[in-house]
Amino acid sequence: SQLPSEGAVGFMVTTKLLQNISDLLCNNKSCCGIQGGLFIFQTKCEDVAVNIKQLCESLESLECVQCKKYIIDIERIYEHKARVRPKRVDDWLDANPSAERAEGEVWSSVPL
């Protein structure tokens, strides 16, 4: 597997990498009308998405923006697409029952 089995251990996206991205964006004049530009991260793994979002927010120089079509209920998306939640997500939620979920205004419901 290319994804970490536990948290960010061995994961290719690090705080240092995100800081470099932030530094590059802060030096950019404007992108899509947003001062500093945009960093878009897309994955099909909910735990990875939540982990990256939390890492980005911890830098305080990156922030999430509202999506036009956002995820209201992640469980409904799992039911609609696969009829069952992926085992990886089950394992993640078993280990982290109060984990933040990839749903709400900053989580796009459509591929970008």
Side-chain angles (χ1 to χ4, degrees):
S1 174
Q2 297 178 359
L3 299 171
S5 58
E6 295 182 24
V9 176
F11 191 49
M12 69 179 96
V13 178
T14 64
T15 303
K16 177 68 175 155
L17 175 63
L18 292 173
Q19 185 61 59
N20 288 342
I21 291 168
S22 175
D23 293 345
L24 289 169
L25 290 173
C26 288
N27 290 328
N28 188 3
K29 291 185 181 184
S30 179
C31 176
C32 303
I34 297 174
Q35 185 64 31
L38 295 170
F39 166 62
I40 298 174
F41 183 83
Q42 186 168 313
T43 179
K44 291 184 178 183
C45 299
E46 183 181 7
D47 59 320
V48 172
V50 169
N51 185 44
I52 296 301
K53 176 185 174 278
Q54 291 171 343
L55 280 173
C56 287
E57 290 176 334
S58 74
L59 294 177
E60 296 182 2
S61 57
L62 295 172
E63 63 182 284
C64 295
V65 296
Q66 184 174 345
C67 300
K68 289 184 180 182
K69 295 183 178 181
Y70 58 88
I71 297 173
I72 296 171
D73 181 354
I74 190 75
E75 292 298 331
R76 290 191 68 181
I77 290 180
Y78 289 138
E79 290 169 10
H80 176 73
K81 294 197 177 206
R83 301 199 187 274
V84 64
R85 188 168 54 195
K87 182 178 181 331
R88 178 183 177 88
V89 174
D90 285 338
D91 294 345
W92 171 59
L93 291 172
D94 286 346
N96 305 286
S98 60
E100 175 184 357
R101 300 299 303 275
E103 56 191 13
E105 294 180 345
V106 300
W107 300 97
S108 180
S109 64
V110 295
L112 302 173

